[in-house]
Amino acid sequence: MSITQDSLSISEVAEATGLTAHTLRYYERAGLMLHAVDRASSQHRRYSGADVAWVVFLTRLRSTSMPIARMREYVQLVRLGDDTTEARRDLLLEHRITVAAQLETMTQSLAHIDYKIANYTMKVDGS
Amino acid sequence: MSITQDSLSISEVAEATGLTAHTLRYYERAGLMLHAVDRASSQHRRYSGADVAWVVFLTRLRSTSMPIARMREYVQLVRLGDDTTEARRDLLLEHRITVAAQLETMTQSLAHIDYKIANYTMKVDGS
DNA sequence: GCTTGACTTAGAGCGCGCTCTAAGTCTTAG
DNA sequence: CTAAGACTTAGAGCGCGCTCTAAGTCAAGC
């Protein structure tokens, strides 16, 4: 598709980010892109490097379970420019707290699961 | 409700586990309990200590994102008794792998988010 | 000119995990 | 005897995050 060009097709971005083309369109519709993605003359989307970097950032928020609606709030702040720096930081800080709690819970649960695994292994291996 | 009695009502278990009574009934219907919960003469559920401990274990599996269907598989193995020890261990080991991956991804995403927070803080605090 | 295939859109559909509703039962207090 | 309140059931409904469908457009290769 692209030879040596600094914009990518939707399927290339899907490939690069691990999202599907469907999901990329959905994210754009959901207002998660900073601006509408550029189009080729064919009306096909052409993602810039910055677009891709942004999508990757979105996947980081998602992988930490930030809801789409909250991500949209963040995007809106970014769109508003430098005046919202503090608000953006606060939003991320708040999110950070919930992520840390999640990690804590998961880590503890994993420890309990590991304990169970160890017991089972004793039963299996031991006489 | 219970004075000094070793069985708990559904709302007490809800309180103790952080689940709702609705969810507790749902879990039972979904086949996640080792056996139907005992009933008082009023037909109200009476959870034993072991029942509560099991529910807590279920919440550990859920907090690590194990799907309900997979949890049900595990429960079925437990019901089948000692012969399934190895199968149960394998199921937990497999789950362990996905949880570890999740933790890894989340931790990395959190690091990126922290980096952003640090940048914002510099902008806010610095001149 | 025709076919193939990657894309486009609007909008419907889906799977999951709850979450709630409605109607009924039982126990206890007044 | 009545009313309140905690429970019961079967089954419907919901919110989220995709995921898919159908019909159409466009560009490239034969």
Side-chain angles (χ1 to χ4, degrees):
Chain A
M1 195 106 247
S2 65
I3 318 292
T4 309
Q5 208 166 266
D6 51 7
S7 76
L8 301 183
S9 72
I10 196 166
S11 61
E12 287 167 331
V13 176
E15 168 78 10
T17 60
L19 300 175
T20 66
H22 284 307
T23 301
L24 286 167
R25 288 189 205 100
Y26 164 69
Y27 279 5
E28 190 174 344
R29 262 192 296 170
L32 299 187
M33 298 303 287
L34 294 171
H35 44 73
V37 175
D38 281 355
R39 301 303 177 110
S41 60
S42 60
Q43 286 295 95
H44 291 193
R45 288 174 180 77
R46 314 261 61 204
Y47 290 78
S48 69
D51 291 334
V52 176
W54 181 254
V55 170
V56 169
F57 176 62
L58 293 178
T59 66
R60 295 210 169 99
L61 296 182
R62 280 300 299 137
S63 76
T64 50
S65 306
M66 185 184 284
I68 300 287
R70 195 110 179 95
M71 289 168 67
R72 185 162 37 232
E73 284 177 43
Y74 183 81
V75 172
Q76 280 159 359
L77 290 175
V78 175
R79 287 207 195 105
L80 289 176
D82 286 346
D83 291 356
T84 64
T85 302
E86 197 168 354
R88 283 185 249 167
R89 183 197 53 179
D90 291 351
L91 191 155
L92 290 187
L93 269 174
E94 200 178 305
H95 180 57
R96 209 222 111 84
I97 291 169
T98 78
V99 177
Q102 254 182 97
L103 280 173
E104 176 72 14
T105 304
M106 280 184 76
T107 302
Q108 279 183 16
S109 294
L110 186 58
H112 284 281
I113 290 166
D114 280 344
Y115 179 75
K116 280 232 164 198
I117 290 173
N119 281 346
Y120 283 142
T121 298
M122 275 172 52
K123 272 201 189 171
V124 171
D125 291 0
S127 87
Chain B
M1 193 106 248
S2 63
I3 317 295
T4 308
Q5 207 167 264
D6 50 8
S7 77
L8 301 184
S9 71
I10 195 165
S11 61
E12 287 167 330
V13 176
E15 168 79 10
T17 60
L19 300 175
T20 67
H22 284 305
T23 301
L24 286 166
R25 290 190 203 99
Y26 165 68
Y27 279 5
E28 190 174 346
R29 262 190 297 169
L32 299 186
M33 297 306 286
L34 294 172
H35 44 72
V37 175
D38 282 354
R39 302 302 177 112
S41 59
S42 60
Q43 286 294 95
H44 290 192
R45 288 175 180 78
R46 313 260 62 203
Y47 290 78
S48 70
D51 290 334
V52 176
W54 180 254
V55 170
V56 169
F57 176 62
L58 292 178
T59 66
R60 294 209 170 100
L61 296 182
R62 280 300 299 137
S63 77
T64 51
S65 306
M66 185 183 283
I68 300 289
R70 195 110 179 97
M71 289 167 67
R72 184 161 39 230
E73 284 176 45
Y74 183 80
V75 171
Q76 280 159 359
L77 290 174
V78 176
R79 288 207 195 105
L80 289 175
D82 286 345
D83 291 356
T84 65
T85 303
E86 197 169 353
R88 283 184 250 165
R89 183 197 51 178
D90 291 351
L91 191 155
L92 291 187
L93 270 174
E94 200 178 304
H95 180 56
R96 209 222 110 85
I97 291 169
T98 77
V99 178
Q102 254 183 97
L103 279 173
E104 175 72 14
T105 304
M106 280 184 75
T107 303
Q108 279 183 17
S109 293
L110 186 58
H112 283 282
I113 290 166
D114 280 344
Y115 179 77
K116 279 232 165 199
I117 291 173
N119 280 347
Y120 283 143
T121 298
M122 274 172 52
K123 270 200 190 174
V124 170
D125 291 0
S127 86

